[in-house]
Amino acid sequence: ARDTGSAPAAGGGEEETCARNAAPAAAGGAAPSAAPLAPNADASALRVALAYDVGGRGDQSFNDSAAAGLEQAISEIGVVRENTRELAAANGESEDARATRLRQLATDGFSPVIAVGFAYSEALTTIAAEFPDTQFAIIDSVVDLPNVTSLTFAAEQGSFLVGAAAALRTTSCQIGFVGGVEVPLIQAFEAGYVAGAKAVAPDVEVDVDYISPAGDFSGFNDPARGTEVARGQLDGGADVVYHAAGGSGQGVFEAVAAATTPDAPKFAIGVDSDQYNTVAAPVNEVIMTSMLKRVDVAVFNYVNAVAAGDLAVIPPAFDLSVDGVGYSTTGGGVDDLVTDLDAYKAAIVNGDITVPSTP
Amino acid sequence: MTEYAVELAGITKRFPGVVANSDIHLAVRRGEVHALCGENGAGKSTLMKILYGIQQPDEGTITVDGEQVRFRSPADAIRAGIGMVHQHFMLADNLTVAENILLGAEAQLGIGAKARTRITELARTVGLDVRPDLLVERLGVADRQRVEIVKVLYRGARTIILDEPTAVLVPQEVDDLFVTLRGMRAEGFTFLFISHKLDEVRAIADAITVIRRGTSVGTADPRTVTSRKLAEMMVGSELPSPQTGESTVTDREVLRVSGLALDSDDGGRPLLSDVDLVVRAGEVLGIAGVEGNGQTELVETIMGMRRAAGGTITLSGADITRAGTLARREAGVGYVPEDRTRHGLLASQPLWANRILGHQSRPPVSRGGLIDREAARRDTQRIIEEFDVRTPGVDVAAAALSGGNQQKLVVGRELSGEPVLLIASHPTRGVDVGAQAGIWDVLRRARADGLAVLLISADLDELIGLSDTIKVMLRGRLVADADPATVTPEELGAAMTGADGAAA
Amino acid sequence: MSTATQTTAKSASTVRGRFSALPGWARSAIVVAIGVGLLSVTATLTGQIQLTSSGTTQAAVRLLLPILFAALGGLWAERAGVINIGLEGMMILGTWGAAWAGYQWGPYAAVVGGLVFGALGGLLHAVATVSFGVNHIVSGVAITLLGMGVTKYLSTLLFFPVSQNPRQSPRVEGFETFSVQPVADGLLALEREQRVVLSDVSGLLGGLLSGLTPLVVLGFVLVPASYLLLWRTSFGLRLRSCGENPVAAESLGVQVYTYKYVALVVSGALAGIGGAALTLNPGQLGYLEGQTGGRGYIGLAAMIFGNWRPGGLLAGSALFGYVDGVQLRAGGEAVHALLYGASILAVGLAVLWAVRRRWQTALTALLAGAAVYAVYFSTETVPREFASYAPQIVTLLVLAAASQRLRPPAAIGLEYRRGEGD
Amino acid sequence: MARVRTALLPPVLAILFAAGLCAVALVISGASPLTALGAMVGQVGQGTTAVDIVNSAAVYYIVALAAAIGFQMKLFNIGIEGQYRLAACVAAIVGGALVLPPVVHTLVIILTGVLVGAVWAGIPALLKAYRGVSEVISTIMLNAVSLGLIAFLIRPDSFGVLQGNNISTAPIEPSGQFPGIPTGAGTIFGMVFVAAALGLGYWFLLNRTRFGFELRASGESPTAATAGGVNAKRMVIIALVLSGAVAGLAGLPEVLGRDFAYTLTSPQGYGFTGLAVALLGRNNPAGIAFGALLWAFLDKSALALDNVGVPRDIVLIMQGSVVLSVVVAYEIVRRYELAAEQRRVASQLRGPAIPQKEPVA
Ligand SMILES: Nc1ncnc2c1ncn2[C@@H]1O[C@H](COP(=O)(O)OP(=O)(O)OP(=O)(O)O)[C@@H](O)[C@H]1O
Ligand SMILES: Nc1ncnc2c1ncn2[C@@H]1O[C@H](COP(=O)(O)OP(=O)(O)OP(=O)(O)O)[C@@H](O)[C@H]1O
Ligand SMILES: [Mg+2]
Ligand SMILES: [Mg+2]
């Protein structure tokens, strides 16, 4: 016989209703829609290079998002494809490999050179000093040098919104968070998510689990274990699961898809890019929204700013106010929540709510 | 049907550097026990391996029951009705008796109940009385031998090669074996029988072929030939014998073992219990015993390779019971192990490195924790000259030497550094006649110089010939003393099996 | 010179008596029953229901499956006398082969693809170790390196155009799951009733009978099948004889080289199916670079843990999968509860040994139990950093306590050359 | 002369064979092997690559020596990975916490690394000697456990310091750093010379000391070594602990010469490289040096392959096939030499067939 569905929630009792706070009354009712940082410039003379983190283009995560920014620059501001280069890091590689990669790009005359990922910070500190005439940017880290632009994200703010969405959606008053590796970067996602959920429903229970501890990066790359963590949360009664687990996220989606039934639907929340679009059907049906970390926006704006010769437009952090983070609506999973979410967004943007970035 | 069960003609087999068989002729009549005699390394086993299909001859033909055959593998030989009991047991310890027997012959009766019944039947004919599902590692030597014979019988062999089946048996067990063989001969089985014990050969064989240096030098009639004549055919000259000459025993105690006990690893019967013995300077103390009765363990306990459960060992008055092997060696114990490849040599290392083994903490080869390669080379050269080790130099790997020369090197090394006690375990096992005489000579000289020797040997003639005193070991105890001047090998054998009532 | 027979084993089992007089299946049943009872009691007393939930059992099954296949692969190789540390590499090859075949022709093809690719790795190991006498570990390390390189290379070549990702295959279709009805539903219903112990037992068993896939069934069938094949047929006898005493085997007409080749190809194939199990894992459904994450080595460890026997390696993989499942699903608190179970077990063993008058062992067990309980009592939870590696720690501890009774095949790792025996 | 030939011929053949294999793979994938080779060789002259190769080779040399010490006794210390990482982490913590005069500070850090490596390797050593646990399994398990331990130690509420999105240990003051040699293109780690000295020490220990003799004897034949007075248990423990102690140094060139802290992104995977390089160098110090350089060259110049559109993974295939073909080549040569030696011995002792009881295995 076929399985009719998932194992029953061991949590037992029928849905206790979750007391929910009203959404903050936003000044204008709707969130301010961010204007472009600067008008499009002509970037056809630029030679742009990207040094990806492990995974590189095609990782359906933030490397891909960075690539999308480059694509946008190619199509909108005239960057010539032949004048771009993309290199990717290998697993567990040493500092000097990262430095060599950046040096290669700088030596070959690329400027700007964009280092995708905080792992490049040490290497970039060295190389940027070696090539003072080259423009560099680094994502997810701060390097204090005149020719380096730091592109950081307020991931906690975006996570706050999807946390709020989860708390609004849950019927069991229990939601989950699956982190890939317990590093500060991912902990910011956790912190924002929990804060968002609690802001909506103070009683909501948030299961927080990580696949592997700091230093063991296998947690970003082990869907088989990711799926078990998510199943554990679902079996324990959670009905919305947010992942920040890189490649292991696939396992989370599969777990949610396997657990969902017409009368007891379960939901997943994607991360970094709009995963409703990148995850294969039919599994993507369970993705109610994705926390967007607009690396593409950052990359595009940065390239544009370099072309315009005005780096001052780059904000200290890409946050909600510039749409550097946000949430996706593809698939219509949060259509009914948009009003509330936008109210929270507005409250964050105008400073009524401050989102913590550590758990 | 021809009269010959097996005929080998013009067999030649070359190994790198060695011609093991050259133009050998051998004809075995059906229903006879045909003995094959020859000194170590004469090429007997090689010839038998060729007959059994393990090795292929370079030249020559094999004829079985009048038909010329070519054996590509043992499977072919088995199909032609030939079976072989090897010089070294070919048993897997961790498989059961039944599995060992059935291996390779599963096609006959399967591996189920039918096969078991057949095994039990065959076991009875050779006097094997153990459960078929017992692990072979639990069997004694004689039973292992029987398992080997059952293995051959199970395959329906009519011609059976027995390569030195008696080497590890005591006289009584040899007699039992011969009873079995005679019975089977009467049923029409043919045997090829190899042994170095010429009396045995004369007792059981119907015909003898002698091999020397790889060629067949002739046949002999066991009813008329004497052992001495046979030996001369084998060696081409007169046979040396182990004789001690006058006693050199002093009253200075070198080794005293009292109340020595050793537990077995698996909590079974103790391996040694209550062993007392004394060896004096200038004395050779011989230990007789069937293999597996604790001689190996005794030696290894005295060497410190096993930890005694009780009792004391004193060397020249100093208690060494708790000392490690190296400390004992430093205190003047030399050790010629029974298995030189396993315990005596580093096969792939050069001779000079082998000279260092066991002496790594002592001059001349080592000083202050550092190895002195030059000194080691020089001293190895000395051993080579003194002990007539035949080698092209000190830099060749030990594995490249022949067994006898390896053994001489080991003996030479163990007599270096002025030992006070030499423990010699089967010092001439697997050594050809010439080397044997050389080693006996060395032992005799060392004894005359006041060395105390503890000698273990399965060769009772050697034991009787060399020892000043003999003790008999049975089931981990010293059960009897014998005077080498008067005792016969048969009496010794009886004591070794407990047949004389000594093992009460 | 027969090197094989010289390795005498000393560790004959000393614990005998009525228990060991029982047939193997009965002994396993008793051990399993004790384990289930122990976990049920622990779950009840500590309130950690995840220890015995059906979900945990299913997680354990999914997690143990790749390890189990790898361990079976290790069994086949090592019973034929060849150390196979290349299992990891063969498994990697298997993940790739499974994904490649799977995305084109479906899950059954995926299994075959994994099998074939793994078998190729096994074949290479055979050529190196059997024909060229290369040190088994060297060859294993090289095969693992090659496995990583070849799959990366092939992925770039063949997956990238489809998935736009050189490190990942397109999604493959997985197996449908099924359950043994109506038993499974009955047990799950009982589990839901939350009755003391009873629900725990039914949770553990119910989990085993539901959420099955053909691959799970294959894995569990291969355990007894390997036993029957290796211990109850003449083929198995011959194969094992190559691991115990190849010289003797050869002298009885066994084609030792052939059997070693067969064993290694099967070994690689099994490891490859293990790779397929990862590819077809419901959470994964595809190839992902580095997805094996050392599971091949874990499989090897499970096999040694299981004393080179099918039942034992199942126990080893199950232990690993179960503890991993527990810690992934329920985190440090559940691992903490396992400490409680461990102290009960230690006390139980102490009593057992005291009855047998093995006073020293009993005392050691008692002290260990007390120490574990002290840790349990004085802490609230196991830090996540250690809980994550609970499976490894548990395996290590169990080995440290029990490994002296292990008995490897006598001729394992030894170089064997045709016609050079004596 | 013949000795040099038999030592050098196999690796050369093997490298050629492996290169050929990779060339075929490249051609299949539509890339030109010559372009790839040109890019890799050309890369050496670029930027700091030459210095990076030397620096990495030093690290590989150290891990490979650690592996080789085990191999001498047929012990497989798979745990080098965990040993060097844990050692580097703890040494960095200690180094960051202490304020000491220059040379002393560095020495304390190095000794800490050695000690931690030794202690961590001591666990499988004791388990092997007293409980008979295969070191292969126990070290595999301990590698995982060491990850957890490092994660625990480096937690911001233990000894870690948040550095943006990275976590690292407290930075080591200049007094604790190991000064390097600046060149026009990068700085050569000072610890490169420590690695070389280790190689000399390894050679001396193995070939000239009693301990080395006992180690090799135990590896060649445990039974003969025991009969020769070598304490097998002790040798197992010493060999593994020594291997761990050397492994404990492997992370330090980078910590003391470049990063001055241990971070989440500190490199991993040297343990496996160490095994492969030791196998490649056949446990001989000169051979290992050669293997380490080759490995480092392949690793570092592989970065250039991206620029010419050749899959970088070809280097992994090259590394795997080199290891395998080197040992196969040595095996073939060894067999040939052994037979030749037997022939030579026999012909020098002409006369009747030399009685040679034991066939040479
Ligand atoms: N630290 C070192 N770094 C590089 N090469 C070394 C080092 N120490 C020794 N060597 C070289 O290693 C090789 C081996 O030395 P040597 O010839 O003394 O070894 P051996 O005793 O014959 O041992 P083996 O048989 O193991 O080679 C020699 O070529 C020597 O010059
Ligand atoms: N596989 C082999 N490779 C090289 N030489 C061998 C091989 N087998 C045997 N020999 C050599 O061939 C010669 C004959 O050996 P064989 O074993 O036949 O002697 P044997 O007469 O049986 O001696 P023993 O009485 O000691 O058993 C010896 O010199 C031996 O070293
Ligand atoms: Mg949880
Ligand atoms: Mg012989």
Side-chain angles (χ1 to χ4, degrees), chain A residues 136-144 148-152 314-318:
Chain A
F136 293 93
I138 183 160
I139 289 175
D140 278 344
S141 185
V142 177
V143 171
D144 242 340
V148 179
T149 308
S150 303
L151 307 173
T152 60
I314 301 295
F318 284 84

mmCIF file of all heavy atoms in Angstrom, chain A residues 136-144 148-152 314-318:
data_model
loop_
_atom_site.group_PDB
_atom_site.id
_atom_site.type_symbol
_atom_site.label_atom_id
_atom_site.label_comp_id
_atom_site.label_asym_id
_atom_site.label_seq_id
_atom_site.Cartn_x
_atom_site.Cartn_y
_atom_site.Cartn_z
ATOM 1 N N PHE A 136 37.939 47.170 -6.001
ATOM 2 C CA PHE A 136 37.491 45.870 -5.520
ATOM 3 C C PHE A 136 36.195 46.030 -4.761
ATOM 4 O O PHE A 136 35.910 47.118 -4.225
ATOM 5 C CB PHE A 136 38.513 45.262 -4.569
ATOM 6 C CG PHE A 136 39.820 44.885 -5.220
ATOM 7 C CD1 PHE A 136 40.877 45.781 -5.237
ATOM 8 C CD2 PHE A 136 39.972 43.638 -5.804
ATOM 9 C CE1 PHE A 136 42.077 45.433 -5.822
ATOM 10 C CE2 PHE A 136 41.175 43.299 -6.393
ATOM 11 C CZ PHE A 136 42.225 44.188 -6.408
ATOM 12 N N ALA A 137 35.451 44.954 -4.699
ATOM 13 C CA ALA A 137 34.293 44.938 -3.808
ATOM 14 C C ALA A 137 34.262 43.573 -3.138
ATOM 15 O O ALA A 137 34.767 42.597 -3.689
ATOM 16 C CB ALA A 137 33.010 45.156 -4.594
ATOM 17 N N ILE A 138 33.707 43.546 -1.957
ATOM 18 C CA ILE A 138 33.560 42.253 -1.280
ATOM 19 C C ILE A 138 32.159 42.151 -0.730
ATOM 20 O O ILE A 138 31.593 43.132 -0.235
ATOM 21 C CB ILE A 138 34.620 42.057 -0.180
ATOM 22 C CG1 ILE A 138 34.446 40.668 0.438
ATOM 23 C CG2 ILE A 138 34.533 43.150 0.894
ATOM 24 C CD1 ILE A 138 35.651 40.163 1.152
ATOM 25 N N ILE A 139 31.618 40.963 -0.852
ATOM 26 C CA ILE A 139 30.254 40.732 -0.403
ATOM 27 C C ILE A 139 30.271 40.059 0.968
ATOM 28 O O ILE A 139 31.090 39.171 1.215
ATOM 29 C CB ILE A 139 29.513 39.869 -1.442
ATOM 30 C CG1 ILE A 139 29.293 40.752 -2.674
ATOM 31 C CG2 ILE A 139 28.196 39.345 -0.902
ATOM 32 C CD1 ILE A 139 28.691 40.059 -3.835
ATOM 33 N N ASP A 140 29.405 40.493 1.845
ATOM 34 C CA ASP A 140 29.230 39.897 3.175
ATOM 35 C C ASP A 140 30.377 40.160 4.126
ATOM 36 O O ASP A 140 30.549 39.442 5.106
ATOM 37 C CB ASP A 140 29.042 38.363 3.076
ATOM 38 C CG ASP A 140 27.613 38.003 2.744
ATOM 39 O OD1 ASP A 140 26.743 38.873 2.882
ATOM 40 O OD2 ASP A 140 27.381 36.846 2.356
ATOM 41 N N SER A 141 31.208 41.132 3.835
ATOM 42 C CA SER A 141 32.294 41.395 4.752
ATOM 43 C C SER A 141 32.706 42.851 4.616
ATOM 44 O O SER A 141 32.377 43.500 3.629
ATOM 45 C CB SER A 141 33.470 40.473 4.440
ATOM 46 O OG SER A 141 34.477 40.657 5.416
ATOM 47 N N VAL A 142 33.427 43.324 5.611
ATOM 48 C CA VAL A 142 33.874 44.708 5.558
ATOM 49 C C VAL A 142 35.390 44.730 5.494
ATOM 50 O O VAL A 142 36.061 44.170 6.354
ATOM 51 C CB VAL A 142 33.398 45.501 6.789
ATOM 52 C CG1 VAL A 142 33.944 46.915 6.739
ATOM 53 C CG2 VAL A 142 31.885 45.493 6.851
ATOM 54 N N VAL A 143 35.928 45.328 4.436
ATOM 55 C CA VAL A 143 37.369 45.497 4.324
ATOM 56 C C VAL A 143 37.625 46.989 4.204
ATOM 57 O O VAL A 143 37.118 47.658 3.302
ATOM 58 C CB VAL A 143 37.925 44.757 3.102
ATOM 59 C CG1 VAL A 143 39.383 45.138 2.876
ATOM 60 C CG2 VAL A 143 37.798 43.250 3.299
ATOM 61 N N ASP A 144 38.383 47.539 5.147
ATOM 62 C CA ASP A 144 38.545 48.977 5.228
ATOM 63 C C ASP A 144 39.735 49.454 4.415
ATOM 64 O O ASP A 144 40.793 49.716 4.952
ATOM 65 C CB ASP A 144 38.721 49.371 6.704
ATOM 66 C CG ASP A 144 37.588 50.272 7.131
ATOM 67 O OD1 ASP A 144 36.948 50.855 6.226
ATOM 68 O OD2 ASP A 144 37.341 50.380 8.340
ATOM 69 N N VAL A 148 38.425 49.464 -1.789
ATOM 70 C CA VAL A 148 37.515 48.338 -1.593
ATOM 71 C C VAL A 148 36.157 48.853 -1.156
ATOM 72 O O VAL A 148 36.056 49.680 -0.259
ATOM 73 C CB VAL A 148 38.045 47.361 -0.525
ATOM 74 C CG1 VAL A 148 37.059 46.216 -0.334
ATOM 75 C CG2 VAL A 148 39.403 46.821 -0.927
ATOM 76 N N THR A 149 35.126 48.360 -1.827
ATOM 77 C CA THR A 149 33.764 48.683 -1.417
ATOM 78 C C THR A 149 33.180 47.446 -0.756
ATOM 79 O O THR A 149 33.242 46.355 -1.315
ATOM 80 C CB THR A 149 32.916 49.060 -2.638
ATOM 81 O OG1 THR A 149 33.615 50.072 -3.367
ATOM 82 C CG2 THR A 149 31.555 49.576 -2.195
ATOM 83 N N SER A 150 32.643 47.634 0.435
ATOM 84 C CA SER A 150 32.067 46.497 1.144
ATOM 85 C C SER A 150 30.575 46.444 0.868
ATOM 86 O O SER A 150 29.867 47.431 1.089
ATOM 87 C CB SER A 150 32.332 46.629 2.643
ATOM 88 O OG SER A 150 33.712 46.733 2.869
ATOM 89 N N LEU A 151 30.132 45.326 0.371
ATOM 90 C CA LEU A 151 28.709 45.163 0.057
ATOM 91 C C LEU A 151 28.114 44.207 1.079
ATOM 92 O O LEU A 151 28.269 42.992 0.965
ATOM 93 C CB LEU A 151 28.538 44.605 -1.356
ATOM 94 C CG LEU A 151 29.273 45.371 -2.470
ATOM 95 C CD1 LEU A 151 29.171 44.617 -3.791
ATOM 96 C CD2 LEU A 151 28.702 46.777 -2.611
ATOM 97 N N THR A 152 27.507 44.749 2.112
ATOM 98 C CA THR A 152 26.939 43.871 3.131
ATOM 99 C C THR A 152 25.429 43.989 3.119
ATOM 100 O O THR A 152 24.854 44.930 2.580
ATOM 101 C CB THR A 152 27.457 44.227 4.531
ATOM 102 O OG1 THR A 152 27.076 45.569 4.816
ATOM 103 C CG2 THR A 152 28.963 44.109 4.604
ATOM 104 N N ILE A 314 26.685 53.807 -2.728
ATOM 105 C CA ILE A 314 26.545 52.455 -2.167
ATOM 106 C C ILE A 314 26.283 52.577 -0.664
ATOM 107 O O ILE A 314 27.054 53.186 0.065
ATOM 108 C CB ILE A 314 27.834 51.636 -2.402
ATOM 109 C CG1 ILE A 314 28.129 51.526 -3.898
ATOM 110 C CG2 ILE A 314 27.710 50.260 -1.774
ATOM 111 C CD1 ILE A 314 27.114 50.753 -4.695
ATOM 112 N N PRO A 315 25.192 52.011 -0.200
ATOM 113 C CA PRO A 315 24.861 52.151 1.225
ATOM 114 C C PRO A 315 25.787 51.287 2.088
ATOM 115 O O PRO A 315 26.367 50.324 1.592
ATOM 116 C CB PRO A 315 23.429 51.643 1.301
ATOM 117 C CG PRO A 315 23.324 50.665 0.183
ATOM 118 C CD PRO A 315 24.209 51.184 -0.914
ATOM 119 N N PRO A 316 25.928 51.644 3.381
ATOM 120 C CA PRO A 316 26.765 50.825 4.269
ATOM 121 C C PRO A 316 26.256 49.393 4.339
ATOM 122 O O PRO A 316 27.046 48.453 4.467
ATOM 123 C CB PRO A 316 26.654 51.527 5.619
ATOM 124 C CG PRO A 316 25.562 52.531 5.492
ATOM 125 C CD PRO A 316 25.349 52.812 4.034
ATOM 126 N N ALA A 317 24.957 49.213 4.247
ATOM 127 C CA ALA A 317 24.426 47.855 4.188
ATOM 128 C C ALA A 317 23.208 47.862 3.283
ATOM 129 O O ALA A 317 22.409 48.800 3.317
ATOM 130 C CB ALA A 317 24.045 47.374 5.579
ATOM 131 N N PHE A 318 23.098 46.830 2.474
ATOM 132 C CA PHE A 318 21.904 46.700 1.649
ATOM 133 C C PHE A 318 20.801 46.168 2.536
ATOM 134 O O PHE A 318 20.814 45.027 2.951
ATOM 135 C CB PHE A 318 22.167 45.776 0.454
ATOM 136 C CG PHE A 318 22.970 46.435 -0.613
ATOM 137 C CD1 PHE A 318 24.351 46.474 -0.548
ATOM 138 C CD2 PHE A 318 22.338 47.058 -1.685
ATOM 139 C CE1 PHE A 318 25.086 47.092 -1.529
ATOM 140 C CE2 PHE A 318 23.074 47.681 -2.662
ATOM 141 C CZ PHE A 318 24.449 47.702 -2.588
#
